[in-house]
Amino acid sequence: MQHDEVIWQVIRHKHCSFMSKISTGIFCRNPYNVTGICNRSSCPLANSRYATIRDHDGVFYLYMKTIERAHKPNDLWERVKLPRNYEKALELIDKHLMYWPKLLVHKIKQRLTKMTQMRIRMRKLALKTREKIMTTPRKEKKREARREEKAEKAAVLDKAIEKELLARLENGIYDGIYNLPFNKFLQTLDTDELQAEDEIEEESEVEYVEGNFELEEEDDIEDLVQS
């Protein structure tokens, strides 16, 4: 047979796994606790007649426990879905808890009010556009830094090898046909053609200068007179 006072005397002396004692007070972690405070009137284990409100995915339910179902743990709690309208939910609570203790009914209504206010605030915050702060784990940062360093070293090495091979190819060290990348081959041909055109332009460049014809004619006349 269940005796509420005996249960409370047993669990009140730090024998309850739901008790959380901190500097500001003693609280209860039981999800069925209507106030969240560890005391005789709010304890769902030490009260054979108890009721509370719980939230399931945004839907509020009224949970009720009576001593007649104490021998059936699977059917211990009876729940009723509350409407989203606050006033209708209060009317439904008054209907189902008509002959229950007034203090417990008052606590249940306070819990419904707090949960309704919290749901309204959550909805307002969800509608606001806020910047999301994305954090990167330290291990991932180090891994990305190592990959970047390896990629830079590989790129420098590839460029050095490419320059060396092109220099050897231009100097005629390699005789015969080699399977070089076609894009690099065209790029090399383009650079060779540009260099050849520059050399031709330098060789065939013609300059025009201003001549002093009067001085040349005077010199010729003087030579004729002296002869």
Side-chain angles (χ1 to χ4, degrees):
M1 183 176 179
Q2 182 173 353
H3 197 285
D4 295 344
E5 190 62 30
V6 173
I7 295 174
W8 174 249
Q9 292 296 330
V10 172
I11 65 176
R12 68 177 297 186
H13 299 291
K14 299 182 180 179
H15 294 290
C16 181
S17 60
F18 297 105
M19 184 185 297
S20 178
K21 187 175 181 180
I22 58 177
S23 60
T24 56
I26 303 175
F27 297 93
C28 180
R29 296 180 179 177
N30 195 309
Y32 291 95
N33 195 309
V34 71
T35 60
I37 301 173
C38 182
N39 53 30
R40 177 68 177 81
S41 61
S42 300
C43 182
L45 302 178
N47 290 277
S48 57
R49 192 181 191 187
Y50 198 77
T52 185
I53 294 177
R54 295 192 63 186
D55 182 8
H56 293 282
D57 298 330
V59 181
F60 296 157
Y61 289 89
L62 173 64
Y63 280 75
M64 295 170 288
K65 180 180 74 168
T66 58
I67 195 171
E68 290 80 10
R69 294 191 300 273
H71 66 287
K72 299 173 66 178
N74 292 335
D75 301 328
L76 182 61
W77 293 92
E78 176 188 1
R79 73 175 188 178
V80 179
K81 184 179 179 180
L82 298 177
R84 297 185 68 87
N85 192 334
Y86 177 71
E87 296 179 356
K88 292 182 179 180
L90 291 177
E91 293 177 0
L92 192 62
I93 291 173
D94 290 333
K95 179 181 177 181
H96 284 84
L97 306 179
M98 185 179 300
Y99 302 106
W100 287 56
K102 299 298 181 183
L103 180 61
L104 181 60
V105 176
H106 178 66
K107 291 179 180 179
I108 292 171
K109 290 182 178 180
Q110 282 184 336
R111 182 176 177 85
L112 176 64
T113 304
K114 293 292 184 181
M115 294 175 69
T116 304
Q117 293 174 353
M118 183 180 66
R119 182 167 61 182
I120 293 172
R121 288 197 299 269
M122 290 174 62
R123 192 179 305 167
K124 289 181 179 179
L125 291 174
L127 294 175
K128 290 183 179 180
T129 56
R130 296 183 299 176
E131 296 181 357
K132 292 184 179 181
I133 300 175
M134 304 298 291
T135 59
T136 306
R138 186 179 299 175
K139 291 183 179 179
E140 187 175 351
K141 288 183 179 179
K142 291 182 178 179
R143 185 168 57 250
E144 294 295 332
R146 288 196 299 267
R147 288 178 180 176
E148 291 179 0
E149 185 178 358
K150 290 180 180 179
E152 290 178 358
K153 290 181 179 179
V156 172
L157 183 61
D158 290 341
K159 289 182 179 180
I161 293 172
E162 180 183 355
K163 289 181 180 179
E164 182 66 23
L165 291 176
L166 291 175
R168 292 185 179 185
L169 182 63
E170 292 175 356
N171 295 331
I173 296 176
Y174 301 119
D175 295 333
I177 300 175
Y178 296 90
N179 293 325
L180 296 175
F182 187 69
N183 295 331
K184 300 296 182 182
F185 178 70
L186 293 179
Q187 185 178 0
T188 305
L189 291 179
D190 293 338
T191 54
D192 292 341
E193 290 177 357
L194 291 174
Q195 291 178 359
E197 290 178 359
D198 294 338
E199 291 177 358
I200 293 171
E201 289 179 356
E202 290 178 359
E203 292 177 356
S204 61
E205 186 177 1
V206 179
E207 296 182 357
Y208 297 93
V209 297
E210 183 179 359
N212 296 325
F213 298 104
E214 296 179 356
L215 295 176
E216 291 177 358
E217 291 178 355
E218 291 179 357
D219 295 336
D220 293 340
I221 292 172
E222 290 180 354
D223 293 338
L224 291 173
V225 171
Q226 291 177 0
S227 60

